[in-house]
Amino acid sequence: MINANFTRALVIAVGLIQFAWLLVPARLFAARPLVVDDAPTVPRGNLEIELGVSYAAAAHSTREQGLPVIGIAYGVFERLEAGIALQRVKNDSRGSAPVEGFEDLHLAAKYNLIEERATFPALSLALDIKAPTASRRKGLSSGRWDESFLFIATKSFAPLVFHLNAGYVIVDSPPGGKLKNIIRGGFAFEWPFRERWVLVGEIFGSSRPAAGEPNEAAFQVGFRYLLNPAFVLDAAGGRSLRSTGAEFQITSGFTWLFDLYQFLGGLR
């Protein structure tokens, strides 16, 4: 029997695709399926919706499923966006009870400090605040607020586009948790090799999240397919670069960008 959550996500996706074809195409700044972020922000007055699913399997029969993985960003002003991110996960590990439910809500903002020039990359600064909205009892949250700062650089060398991330996460560890502040970073590329197809790839990693745990490093390779300039499908797969991480991980979803006022006017 098909999982009920998957069925609901599929129905929502089909409905959004139907709406997307009714909109006037807009310029798209898509991050999916990459973990590494890009410097451009959502244009003023536009809403960007990302919806996806993910699956990762590691040694010792540990599996993690993300369904759905949701990201929403709005162009507040020119070069400034604000958004939220949320995902529902299911973790299965041999010898432990499954953990299932929505994780903490993330509140985010990104400001484009410098636009790209002929000899200089676009530079942006992003802030992510993790609000403790999930259940600590179920193991879905630390019950504390965390703040993440990310420096982003993007540079085009036609037809290739490169992204570089460097960030720091301030972790408010609960008593006895021994959680550590995290240094993270990554490098990604995009290559539009055909009219509607874009090849993407990335390497990313972070320092150990707690004492006694390993550092993390992984890679992904995937693609984007432009149904139109405002609606993009994506898929990617990869694995950990360390023996302690995921033996494989996959993700798939879409990004939809549209003028919010135009869309609301079209519904009247």
Side-chain angles (χ1 to χ4, degrees):
M1 181 178 293
I2 298 176
N3 184 280
N5 290 329
F6 178 80
T7 303
R8 285 194 292 268
L10 182 61
V11 170
I12 293 172
V14 171
L16 290 176
I17 290 173
Q18 290 174 341
F19 276 126
W21 286 109
L22 302 177
L23 300 175
V24 176
R27 187 180 180 189
L28 180 65
F29 299 124
R32 284 199 53 87
L34 299 176
V35 173
V36 174
D37 203 355
D38 51 3
T41 55
V42 174
R44 180 180 180 182
N46 281 243
L47 189 69
E48 182 180 84
I49 298 175
E50 296 181 346
L51 182 64
V53 297
S54 65
Y55 180 85
H60 311 298
S61 301
T62 299
R63 298 173 298 175
E64 179 174 297
Q65 173 184 305
L67 177 64
V69 180
I70 305 168
I72 300 174
Y74 178 72
V76 182
F77 302 111
E78 292 298 331
R79 299 164 64 177
L80 174 65
E81 70 176 46
I84 60 173
L86 183 67
Q87 68 172 350
R88 190 177 191 278
V89 300
K90 181 178 181 181
N91 293 315
D92 291 309
S93 182
R94 179 179 296 175
S96 301
V99 177
E100 185 173 2
F102 280 97
E103 293 187 323
D104 289 332
L105 178 69
H106 287 253
L107 309 174
K110 180 166 65 173
Y111 180 68
N112 181 214
L113 300 168
I114 301 174
E115 295 182 324
E116 184 175 354
R117 302 168 186 170
T119 58
F120 202 77
L123 301 177
S124 292
L125 183 64
L127 169 66
D128 184 299
I129 299 176
K130 180 182 74 68
T133 58
S135 172
R136 184 179 180 185
R137 178 181 58 83
K138 292 182 178 181
L140 294 166
S141 173
S142 66
R144 300 299 181 99
W145 296 74
D146 297 342
E147 298 81 34
S148 174
F149 302 89
L150 185 66
F151 181 77
I152 309 165
T154 292
K155 187 71 180 76
S156 301
F157 297 94
L160 295 172
V161 182
F162 297 97
H163 311 292
L164 179 67
N165 287 186
Y168 189 74
V169 184
I170 301 174
V171 178
D172 184 7
S173 179
K178 298 182 180 181
L179 300 180
K180 300 170 65 70
N181 292 345
I182 297 172
I183 299 172
R184 62 191 183 98
F187 176 79
F189 75 89
E190 303 178 34
W191 176 36
F193 63 96
R194 296 188 65 179
E195 181 179 1
R196 293 176 178 264
W197 292 89
V198 180
L199 178 69
V200 299
E202 64 182 345
I203 297 176
F204 55 92
S206 61
S207 61
R208 56 178 55 89
E213 296 190 11
N215 297 325
E216 300 175 0
F219 77 92
Q220 283 196 130
V221 178
F223 69 88
R224 298 185 184 126
Y225 178 72
L226 283 68
L227 284 175
N228 63 43
F231 199 92
V232 178
L233 302 175
D234 68 74
R239 61 161 296 155
S240 173
L241 295 171
R242 299 177 59 88
S243 59
T244 54
E247 293 181 342
F248 75 91
Q249 57 194 39
I250 56 175
T251 182
S252 182
F254 67 81
T255 303
W256 175 29
L257 178 71
F258 59 91
D259 187 303
L260 182 60
Y261 297 106
Q262 179 182 342
F263 176 68
L264 294 177
L267 292 179
R268 289 199 291 266

